[in-house]
Amino acid sequence: MLQQLEGSRAIAQGIALCKPEVVCAYPITPQTHIVEALAEMVRTGELANCEFINVESEFAALSVAIGASAAGARSYTATASQGLLYMCEAVYNAAGLGLPIVMTIGNRAIGAPINIWNDHSDSMAMRDAGWIQLYAETNQEALDLHIQAFKLAEALSCPVMVCVDGFILTHAYERIEIPEAHDVDAFLPPYDPVQVLDCNDPVSIGAMVGPEAFAEVKYLQHRKQLAALELIPEIASEFSARFKRDSGGLVKPYRLEGAETIVVALGSMNGTIKDVIDEMRNEGHAIGSLAIVSFRPFPLQAVRAALVDAKRIVILEKSLSVGLGGPLSDGVRKSLSGTGLHGHTVIAGLGGRAITRKSLKALFVKAEMDELELLDFLDLDRDIVNVQLEREKETRRSGPVAENVLKSIGTVASRIA
Amino acid sequence: MKKPFAITLDPGSSLANHTGSWRTERPVYVDRLPPCNHACPAGEDIQGWLYHAEGGDYRRAWEALVKHNPFPAIMGRVCYHPCEDACNRGKLDEAVGIHAVERFLGDLAIRRGWLPGKPAGPGAKRVLVVGSGPSGLSCAYHLRLMGHGVVIVDSAKAAGGMMRYGIPKYRLPRDVLDAEISRIESMGVEFRLNSRIDDIMAAMAGFDAAFLAVGAHLARRTDIPAGDASRILDAVCLLHDMEDGPPPMLGRRVVVYGGGNTALDVARTAKRLGALESLIVYRRTKEQMPAHESELNEALQEGILFKWLSTVKAMDEGGVTVEKMVLDETGFPQPTGEFEKMEADSLVLALGQESELGLLKNVPDLEIENGTVKVNSSMMTSHPGIFAGGDMVPSDRTVTSAVGHGKKAAKNIDAWLRNETYIAPEKHEIAGFDKMNTWYYSDAPRTVQPELDIARRGSTFDEVVGGLTGKNALFEARRCLSCGNCFECDNCFGVCPDNAVIKLGPGLRFAFDYDYCKGCGLCAAECPCGAIKMVPESI
Amino acid sequence: MPLQPIKFYQTGTFTVGNRLLDESQRTVQANMRRTNSLNSGHRACQGCGEALGARYALDAAMQATKNRLIAANATGCLEVFSTPYPETSWQIPWMHSLFGNAASVATGIAAALKVKGKQDVRVIAQGGDGGTTDIGFACLSGMFERNDDVLYICYDNEAYMNTGVQRSSATPPAARTATTPAAGAHPGNSFGTGKNVPLIAMAHRIPFVATASVANLHDLEAKVNKAMTIHGARYIHIHVPCPLGWGSHPSDTLKVARLAVESGLFPLFEAEHGEITASLRLRKKAPVEAYLKLQRRFSHLFGEKPDRDTIAMIQAIADRNIEKFGLESP
Ligand SMILES: Cc1cc2nc3c(=O)[nH]c(=O)nc-3n(C[C@H](O)[C@H](O)[C@H](O)COP(=O)(O)OP(=O)(O)OC[C@H]3O[C@@H](n4cnc5c(N)ncnc54)[C@H](O)[C@@H]3O)c2cc1C
Ligand SMILES: Cc1ncc(C[n+]2csc(CCOP(=O)(O)OP(=O)(O)O)c2C)c(N)n1
Ligand code: SF4
Ligand code: SF4
Ligand code: SF4
Ligand SMILES: [Mg+2]
């Protein structure tokens, strides 16, 4: 059924269709609308047979999910930004224990400076925690990925994060096709855990493992993700067969035929990128793009196959590995090793900075002229940066950077001054 | 369940890890000798029979008791219970009233007509026992249980020795005495009363061995100048006459000379015979008096008067003359030359007894020391086949010791008759108070036995001290701490952090699982009764 | 004659078992068929009070629930010594996630059981004092506040033992730990610090809060039993001496625990919905000195020149407890 809905609401409806048995969450923008909607559905009975638990922190939220999952319940939580970091220890733990929890990340920047807007710093910080990470391009895909995520998580006994750009998706109203319940039921069998706390078959879960077996446990975690590389496309095609639309998969190539320049990106900015590509293709540029859906596991083969015939690669990233560059680039460059191709990392959209078509087009043109640095920043205001650098050089006690920058822009100068 | 590798484990699988290898000390179960048992001259397993009494199984308790001592009802009345002085509970609140429970069991057995076990086999050998006092009776009883034929010969009219002709009725009612003696008779022991033995060598004809227990019945005398009309009696005769003769005439004022139990018994008897004043004269102080404290207290309650640090010098119509004494540095009384006269109608001498050993005149190489017959550790005199015990051998002269001698002699006679030597089992280490963890025992003050009204004691020979009821006998028995021997409290089983104690089931006690025992010593520390010992592990 | 009430069983109700008592009145620990929820072969130190306390509590809970029990465990000695790969000592369904989240994990388990309609299965969360009063405190308070159907048991050995005896908010004043050394002007842990989690638990007005000690098994089991008859959030705080951390002899574990109770330093009480409903009278009152002296963590208070002032301050704490909780018979 096609509906005009806020992204969060749509995602919540998709999750409800998956019949989670325990939902727990702690509020943080921009995740709130998802869990509010779920709370309401549990209260009204629309989502039956589900415990909604209001916890006191994200650490508790994921911990409750861990307990619930180990006791055999399909468990779900959602968070973002500071909240994800607050539960960091549990994030690793859930993966280490192999509990198939599904968690939505409403992607948001991490402070300081505190910032509620979108970028990928939060989920990127957890990229090595052992979770599968899927990035949604649209709200339709976000909804669809959740349904696939439960199937994937439970098949592998591995937790899955579905990353949805905060505000850009979570708060956007779109026309969304809500799947039919019977289709979801047919697609997603009931949760059949590989290990469960059961009085009739007691086990101890969460042993302490020393050097004699720790590496093996970790390697087995890695093997699960390798298996996911096979499973994700299978599930995606099963999904499209049943629901009659394409969603998910490992990567999504766009107009790659004959492309000399390929733009690689995660999440919602692929929409804008595609618009620019369409425009430039019309103008005769040989350009295409590759959206990466599965960032963990990172589909090295698929990425390489998609990119190998290009001349240059632009990797657009909403996250900065401070002191190095971009985390997505690490994977992409690795997939290109031996091809002689350069990947240009461009950091964009940090803390909600708009990624405009205009800027992108200018960037791509610059790329075609091979004028990009290996690490570049989209729409970075060098003047402001220079002023602050000067200031720091002059006075030791130069004041807080964030406030200084805001003053330079003039947004709050009048109020602060 | 196909479990994830390493992080998920099978239940209880740590049994594969034998932590016993950490141990430097190992706990072992021991049996220690309870101080009461150690102190009992009759060699009773007091704790053993209390154990059954605690559970309310009085029959088994009594059976366990009479394995060692045929006279619980008597013993519970007249024994001075050294066991209670030794009882560890005395250090906690008050000693367990062992004698009271013992008496309860004895009385119950009499009421119910319980009999000890059947004697083993037909009387293979014949043993002569001379004297039917506690020692002779005890020996006969045990020999009979072992299957021997026993004949007891006594010069007196009735059996019992000093239990009948010494100890007054108000302390030992005769129906009780009769009941416990008749039980021995019913076991097939032959009694020949009213027959004095003058020559033991002659009397031995037809017997394989003899046990002599003729007691000490001759009153020790002292020279007291006395006027013609003065009445001077000795305690032994007086008490004998109480049983078996014309009631003694003592008059209104009676002076008793001596400081032992006999003196007290005489003074209290005098009171019951109608004396207005019954006074005990003793050379030393109250503290030095050999009489048992409880009896002294009862005498005081009954109004018996005492004159301490005095000796009787003379007696005439007007009364007795006493000399005051003082204690010298060594605590010995010395005369002062100060005299005092006091009214008295009669003077009773209670200065101790000696044995009449005439029947031994024809026994060659007999060793006699201070008027008593020497015996070796097997209770045998220097003449093979003749054993002796009780008051006639060096001992503390109590019914209980006499009973103990009788038992010990019986065991040795039995062995001797088989040409063997009896070897007593080795004694365990004593369960001292320091070995106990008394926190676990409930607070429980001793049960007080009821006592006869003072008013009624003056005039009758009714028993003074009453018995326990079934309920409070149970209570009293349960005050036992079971020192040194497991009483299955389950503490060790419970407190082991490593579940290294195996409970074998009711009555079967426990075992250590040395595969897992780390040797922490908690079980030993928390065993209330000290039945676990830590010993160094040998590597 | 002063007749005693006739219900007297030699050791009364203080020993683990008692052959004279009806089996139903003996402790679970006396039962040959107890579950040994924490089995042999674990790697706790000799005489570990925590290992003992955990078996006491869980065996009782197992019996109370007819073996329908699941436990969530915080990181700490209990977890480490019971489940080093490849062996576990647990005989019950058990899970360890993290140091600070046992209460939340238990909430999750309870929620799962509820949706699955398995409400006969009961949930216990357990952790050390550090995992409870410090790092797990937020999760604990959240679980209390939501009144989740979980019994949380804290095994209080008064420091972070598993990491080598560092101070926690349950470490008593003057105690030496690795981070409150017996040095300087005020050796050991400072006075006036720390928190009383049982009282804080009561402030949540949860249905049941109790303190217990390994030194009083009957009381401990009664409290666990009672807790298992109640639904909603429950808390039991069990005092468990640690021979290693306290510097006491392994064989003295129960003696030390007993003296903590008998001195008044560790009052045993229970509360329902925020109100104290019962407290255990001291059986044989002991001075705090008797307790302190058995432990090397307090040894700086004794020796040549005993620190009378500090001992008196500790005695004052005990006296206040005795007063506050009514530990002496009137
Ligand atoms: C007044 C009094 C009170 C006492 N109170 C207590 C008390 O409360 N508790 C306690 O433990 N002890 C008490 N005693 C001591 C105790 O009675 C004796 O130690 C005990 O009876 C000694 O036992 P026995 O078998 O050696 O000798 P006895 O009991 O003296 O028995 C010896 C028997 O041998 C018989 N006999 C002697 N010579 C011959 C012979 N030639 N031929 C045949 N038969 C012979 C006698 O007739 C007598 O029956 C008391 C003693 C007295 C005198
Ligand atoms: C988040 C986190 N911080 C610190 C630790 C290290 N750590 C593990 S166990 C432990 C001490 C546990 O102390 P407590 O909870 O009192 O239990 P005990 O070992 O004393 O029984 C610490 C500090 C950890 N595992 N996780
Ligand atoms: S602790 Fe109890 S059960 Fe164990 S040996 Fe001692 S008395 Fe027997
Ligand atoms: S309590 Fe257990 S581990 Fe300790 S010594 Fe006794 S049996 Fe061994
Ligand atoms: S350090 Fe303490 S709590 Fe930890 S195992 Fe050892 S005794 Fe037990
Ligand atoms: Mg601790």
Side-chain angles (χ1 to χ4, degrees):
Chain A
M1 193 187 15
L2 211 53
Q3 287 185 7
Q4 181 75 20
L5 285 173
E6 189 199 36
S8 294
R9 181 86 211 177
I11 290 167
Q13 291 200 18
I15 288 159
L17 285 169
C18 296
K19 298 181 180 160
E21 293 164 298
V22 175
V23 173
C24 40
Y26 187 84
I28 182 165
T29 306
Q31 147 267 35
T32 42
H33 292 184
I34 304 173
V35 290
E36 285 163 8
L38 284 166
E40 186 188 314
M41 286 187 259
V42 171
R43 273 295 163 90
T44 58
E46 193 182 327
L47 174 50
N49 218 26
C50 175
E51 283 289 302
F52 186 94
I53 297 169
N54 285 296
V55 290
E56 70 286 351
S57 74
E58 287 84 359
F59 178 61
L62 187 52
S63 298
V64 168
I66 286 171
S69 182
R74 181 169 287 164
S75 308
Y76 169 82
T77 185
T79 189
S81 179
Q82 315 296 136
L84 182 61
L85 294 205
Y86 197 79
M87 64 165 67
C88 166
E89 202 193 356
V91 173
Y92 273 74
N93 188 253
L97 295 176
L99 297 171
I101 298 161
V102 170
M103 172 160 67
T104 308
I105 307 298
N107 284 109
R108 166 181 155 182
I110 290 170
I114 191 160
N115 172 302
I116 62 166
W117 309 105
N118 169 247
D119 72 26
H120 291 163
S121 319
D122 50 4
S123 51
M124 282 300 159
M126 292 297 112
R127 64 183 179 268
D128 295 328
W131 288 57
I132 288 170
Q133 286 193 344
L134 305 176
Y135 285 77
E137 183 181 331
T138 63
N139 274 323
Q140 181 70 58
E141 189 172 45
L143 186 162
D144 296 347
L145 280 181
H146 279 92
I147 297 170
Q148 296 186 30
F150 277 110
K151 191 173 170 101
L152 180 63
E154 290 168 13
L156 292 170
S157 213
C158 178
V160 178
M161 263 179 223
V162 181
C163 303
V164 182
D165 284 316
F167 291 105
I168 298 170
L169 293 179
T170 57
H171 288 57
Y173 278 76
E174 287 174 32
R175 277 177 11 129
I176 295 165
E177 174 77 34
I178 304 294
E180 296 299 328
H182 62 88
D183 278 331
V184 177
D185 289 347
F187 178 76
L188 178 64
Y191 174 31
D192 174 22
V194 303
Q195 58 176 345
V196 66
L197 295 166
D198 178 359
C199 297
N200 300 320
D201 184 7
V203 287
S204 294
I205 299 178
M208 183 180 73
V209 179
E212 69 280 18
F214 191 82
E216 285 72 17
V217 172
K218 282 285 147 187
Y219 176 74
L220 287 166
Q221 254 181 282
H222 179 62
R223 283 294 292 260
K224 262 186 200 175
Q225 296 237 347
L226 297 187
L229 288 177
E230 313 276 322
L231 206 54
I232 290 168
E234 276 173 33
I235 288 175
S237 56
E238 195 188 322
F239 185 90
S240 69
R242 178 168 296 279
F243 296 94
K244 310 285 179 269
R245 70 179 165 271
D246 290 335
S247 264
L250 295 171
V251 294
K252 289 186 296 179
Y254 187 70
R255 302 189 81 166
L256 289 187
E257 58 294 351
E260 292 175 0
T261 304
I262 301 179
V263 184
V264 183
L266 292 166
S268 64
M269 67 175 146
N270 279 298
T272 325
I273 292 169
K274 283 191 213 166
D275 288 347
V276 176
I277 283 171
D278 285 344
E279 187 185 327
M280 289 177 71
R281 277 276 182 181
N282 287 345
E283 292 166 4
H285 296 267
I287 187 165
S289 73
L290 184 71
I292 295 193
V293 182
S294 170
F295 179 66
R296 283 292 182 274
F298 193 83
L300 288 173
Q301 304 293 338
V303 171
R304 184 186 177 91
L307 302 185
V308 72
D309 296 329
K311 286 202 171 127
R312 65 190 71 78
I313 311 296
V314 178
I315 307 150
L316 263 179
E317 302 220 43
K318 279 186 174 175
S319 170
L320 174 62
S321 273
V322 180
L324 176 61
L328 175 59
S329 306
D330 296 347
V332 174
R333 289 215 176 90
K334 191 167 178 219
S335 74
L336 296 177
S337 63
T339 61
L341 274 170
H342 278 308
H344 298 274
T345 302
V346 180
I347 308 296
L350 293 187
R353 172 74 54 90
I355 298 175
T356 62
R357 288 203 214 180
K358 191 169 154 230
S359 298
L360 282 183
K361 188 168 179 189
L363 177 77
F364 299 158
V365 170
K366 199 173 163 192
E368 284 178 331
M369 295 190 300
D370 289 325
E371 283 174 10
L372 276 187
E373 304 285 328
L374 278 180
L375 175 63
D376 227 319
F377 291 81
L378 188 71
D379 295 343
L380 185 72
D381 190 333
R382 300 271 175 195
D383 293 343
I384 294 175
V385 172
N386 289 337
V387 168
Q388 173 66 11
L389 290 176
E390 280 307 309
R391 196 182 285 131
E392 283 174 11
K393 225 186 273 173
E394 277 162 26
T395 36
R396 166 103 197 110
R397 195 175 279 194
S398 52
V401 176
E403 281 70 6
N404 287 339
V405 168
L406 289 175
K407 258 185 246 169
S408 308
I409 306 168
T411 40
V412 291
S414 53
R415 264 175 281 158
I416 290 168
Chain B
M1 212 186 286
K2 52 164 201 186
K3 285 171 273 298
F5 171 68
I7 51 164
T8 301
L9 305 171
D10 282 324
S13 44
S14 64
L15 286 180
N17 184 30
H18 287 187
T19 52
S21 59
W22 303 13
R23 208 168 47 234
T24 56
E25 278 189 313
R26 68 163 55 201
V28 287
Y29 287 107
V30 291
D31 281 297
R32 290 190 163 110
L33 180 62
C36 53
N37 289 16
H38 179 64
C40 176
E44 282 187 27
D45 178 11
I46 296 163
Q47 190 188 83
W49 56 257
L50 279 173
Y51 182 87
H52 298 296
E54 284 151 27
D57 190 346
Y58 298 133
R59 177 81 198 236
R60 280 185 72 187
W62 181 81
E63 281 167 0
L65 205 174
V66 298
K67 241 191 221 140
H68 300 281
N69 187 335
F71 302 130
I74 297 171
M75 216 48 68
R77 287 175 166 84
V78 304
C79 176
Y80 300 123
H81 39 75
C83 52
E84 294 183 23
D85 297 336
C87 172
N88 274 335
R89 181 138 206 154
K91 300 195 180 66
L92 203 59
D93 38 36
E94 280 175 281
V96 175
I98 297 169
H99 76 280
V101 183
E102 184 175 35
R103 166 175 169 173
F104 168 79
L105 293 173
D107 289 354
L108 189 67
I110 293 172
R111 271 206 305 285
R112 301 261 162 95
W114 292 340
L115 291 175
K118 280 258 166 323
K125 303 273 181 175
R126 281 171 59 81
V127 182
L128 170 67
V129 172
V130 185
S132 67
S135 206
L137 289 169
S138 161
C139 184
Y141 167 83
H142 286 288
L143 284 169
R144 188 71 202 100
L145 278 182
M146 294 172 200
H148 300 292
V150 185
V151 176
I152 298 186
V153 182
D154 197 299
S155 54
K157 257 200 228 160
M162 275 302 184
M163 299 192 294
R164 185 182 302 277
Y165 294 104
I167 301 172
K169 288 190 182 83
Y170 61 84
R171 290 208 286 123
L172 178 56
R174 296 307 184 241
D175 53 339
V176 172
L177 179 65
D178 292 342
E180 293 206 317
I181 294 178
S182 71
R183 212 158 44 210
I184 294 178
E185 206 169 351
S186 74
M187 290 165 67
V189 171
E190 186 187 334
F191 282 75
R192 292 186 194 154
L193 298 172
N194 287 316
S195 7
R196 185 180 176 81
I197 289 189
D198 292 313
D199 179 357
I200 184 63
M201 295 310 280
M204 287 272 295
F207 292 98
D208 300 297
F211 178 65
L212 310 184
V214 296
H217 289 228
L218 293 179
R220 211 172 273 151
R221 306 212 55 129
T222 181
D223 238 359
I224 293 174
D228 291 339
S230 48
R231 268 189 70 72
I232 302 187
L233 305 86
D234 74 65
V236 187
C237 293
L238 185 148
L239 292 169
H240 191 279
D241 287 351
M242 286 300 299
E243 193 63 29
D244 207 19
M249 304 297 292
L250 294 174
R252 292 150 58 84
R253 288 190 176 75
V254 182
V255 170
V256 180
Y257 188 29
N261 289 308
T262 308
L264 289 175
D265 278 341
V266 169
R268 294 173 71 189
T269 298
K271 199 82 188 177
R272 283 168 174 77
L273 285 173
L276 287 183
E277 207 178 278
S278 181
L279 173 97
I280 289 178
V281 175
Y282 179 50
R283 285 191 307 149
R284 306 188 187 203
T285 61
K286 184 180 177 185
E287 291 66 40
Q288 290 169 315
M289 206 173 173
H292 203 260
E293 198 182 318
S294 66
E295 292 205 29
L296 176 61
N297 288 337
E298 282 169 26
L300 284 166
Q301 284 169 11
E302 291 170 13
I304 306 299
L305 303 173
F306 290 86
K307 187 113 191 114
W308 309 111
L309 284 170
S310 307
T311 50
V312 175
K313 282 286 143 190
M315 167 137 201
D316 56 31
E317 255 166 290
V320 295
T321 306
V322 298
E323 180 178 6
K324 279 199 185 163
M325 310 292 277
V326 286
L327 294 182
D328 63 16
E329 320 66 270
T330 61
F332 205 79
Q334 299 294 350
T336 59
E338 270 182 62
F339 295 92
E340 193 182 334
K341 180 125 190 201
M342 44 189 57
E343 281 185 58
D345 299 318
S346 55
L347 169 67
V348 186
L349 303 180
L351 301 169
Q353 292 92 244
E354 270 155 25
S355 297
E356 212 274 279
L357 302 175
L359 76 164
L360 297 170
K361 59 193 178 226
N362 291 329
V363 181
D365 341 308
L366 201 72
E367 271 192 74
I368 295 190
E369 201 179 81
N370 295 332
T372 55
V373 176
K374 272 185 91 175
V375 288
N376 64 14
S377 61
S378 313
M379 306 303 293
M380 192 159 76
T381 65
S382 40
H383 188 84
I386 299 185
F387 295 75
D391 281 4
M392 68 177 286
V393 306
S395 79
D396 59 2
R397 292 197 168 170
T398 62
V399 172
T400 327
S401 292
V403 165
H405 287 177
K407 176 176 88 170
K408 190 171 171 193
K411 287 183 181 166
N412 283 289
I413 291 169
D414 175 61
W416 187 83
L417 290 172
R418 284 182 280 111
N419 277 325
E420 286 169 14
T421 320
Y422 171 74
I423 297 162
E426 213 173 307
K427 287 204 169 167
H428 295 128
E429 184 189 356
I430 294 180
F433 192 71
D434 59 317
K435 305 265 188 311
M436 316 275 295
N437 184 341
T438 55
W439 187 84
Y440 288 100
Y441 298 101
S442 304
D443 305 320
R446 181 182 172 115
T447 318
V448 180
Q449 284 171 268
E451 288 184 5
L452 195 67
D453 284 347
I454 302 285
R456 283 181 58 202
R457 289 198 223 163
S459 53
T460 75
F461 282 84
D462 287 353
E463 188 167 23
V464 171
V465 180
L468 300 176
T469 64
K471 275 184 179 177
N472 48 30
L474 187 69
F475 176 90
E476 197 55 35
R478 287 175 175 182
R479 293 184 64 243
C480 170
L481 310 178
S482 190
C483 310
N485 297 285
C486 175
F487 59 110
E488 302 192 29
C489 76
D490 294 327
N491 261 15
C492 49
F493 180 58
V495 305
C496 175
D498 293 278
N499 318 343
V501 174
I502 303 163
K503 181 171 176 173
L504 300 173
L508 303 173
R509 294 191 171 184
F510 303 81
F512 289 108
D513 188 342
Y514 293 115
D515 279 352
Y516 302 105
C517 165
K518 292 172 184 163
C520 69
L522 255 183
C523 51
E526 299 303 319
C527 173
C529 69
I532 302 173
K533 189 174 175 174
M534 298 303 293
V535 298
E537 193 65 62
S538 49
I539 316 145
Chain C
M1 182 173 66
L3 249 184
Q4 301 303 318
I6 211 61
K7 270 223 176 321
F8 168 70
Y9 296 101
Q10 188 173 42
T11 46
T13 47
F14 301 111
T15 44
V16 171
N18 189 329
R19 67 185 176 97
L20 302 172
L21 270 176
D22 190 66
E23 209 153 333
S24 64
Q25 288 171 273
R26 303 181 201 171
T27 65
V28 174
Q29 288 305 311
N31 193 325
M32 289 170 79
R33 287 171 306 278
R34 72 184 187 210
T35 40
N36 281 340
S37 309
L38 180 68
N39 211 358
S40 306
H42 61 69
R43 289 149 204 250
C45 304
Q46 293 162 320
C48 173
E50 190 167 71
L52 187 58
R55 196 191 71 225
Y56 279 179
L58 291 193
D59 280 2
M62 280 290 272
Q63 196 189 62
T65 59
K66 302 200 173 65
N67 299 353
R68 309 288 285 162
L69 192 72
I70 295 176
N73 210 122
T75 311
C77 273
L78 179 59
E79 165 263 327
V80 169
F81 71 59
S82 65
T83 52
Y85 165 82
E87 295 142 7
T88 175
S89 303
W90 297 102
Q91 313 237 56
I92 58 173
W94 176 96
M95 124 168 247
H96 160 245
S97 169
L98 294 166
F99 190 18
N101 70 353
S104 302
V105 171
T107 291
I109 296 170
L113 293 170
K114 186 170 174 202
V115 276
K116 303 239 168 233
K118 292 191 205 160
Q119 261 140 312
D120 59 322
V121 180
R122 307 298 303 275
V123 184
I124 281 183
Q126 51 184 2
D129 50 296
T132 305
T133 72
D134 290 336
I135 199 167
F137 191 63
C139 288
L140 182 70
S141 174
M143 186 277 278
F144 286 163
E145 161 280 313
R146 290 185 302 269
N147 200 21
D148 292 331
D149 192 10
V150 171
L151 166 62
Y152 191 103
I153 301 177
C154 170
Y155 301 102
D156 182 5
N157 53 21
E158 302 187 335
Y160 292 100
M161 295 312 176
N162 187 49
T163 36
V165 199
Q166 296 84 10
R167 177 201 182 271
S168 80
S169 62
T171 301
R176 178 198 69 192
T177 68
T179 49
T180 54
H186 302 285
N189 193 28
S190 316
F191 277 80
T193 63
K195 54 180 130 161
N196 189 323
V197 173
L199 295 185
I200 299 172
M202 282 166 59
H204 292 75
R205 303 197 163 274
I206 56 176
F208 186 69
V209 173
T211 58
S213 163
V214 279
N216 194 329
L217 175 62
H218 286 264
D219 180 64
L220 186 156
E221 287 191 352
K223 283 165 175 168
V224 173
N225 268 328
K226 180 158 184 182
M228 296 324 281
T229 63
I230 300 169
H231 283 270
R234 290 142 290 145
Y235 181 70
I236 300 181
H237 191 100
I238 305 180
H239 200 229
V240 291
C242 163
L244 183 91
W246 297 10
S248 51
H249 196 276
S251 66
D252 278 344
T253 295
L254 291 178
K255 185 175 181 187
V256 169
R258 202 153 46 231
L259 285 168
V261 173
E262 300 288 29
S263 63
L265 282 176
F266 192 86
L268 299 182
F269 62 91
E270 57 185 86
E272 290 173 47
H273 301 288
E275 303 296 336
I276 291 190
T277 50
S279 58
L280 202 86
R281 302 279 177 278
L282 306 185
R283 272 194 77 210
K284 299 198 191 310
K285 193 181 167 189
V288 295
E289 220 175 300
Y291 169 67
L292 303 172
K293 267 195 164 150
L294 292 173
Q295 307 171 51
R296 276 200 308 284
R297 62 175 173 158
F298 294 112
S299 59
H300 54 279
L301 302 181
F302 299 98
E304 295 272 283
K305 261 178 56 207
D307 184 349
R308 290 275 147 228
D309 291 350
T310 306
I311 297 170
M313 281 163 79
I314 299 173
Q315 184 63 54
I317 295 173
D319 293 344
R320 259 198 316 279
N321 283 343
I322 291 172
E323 177 80 26
K324 179 177 163 79
F325 295 98
L327 303 180
E328 270 184 319
S329 327

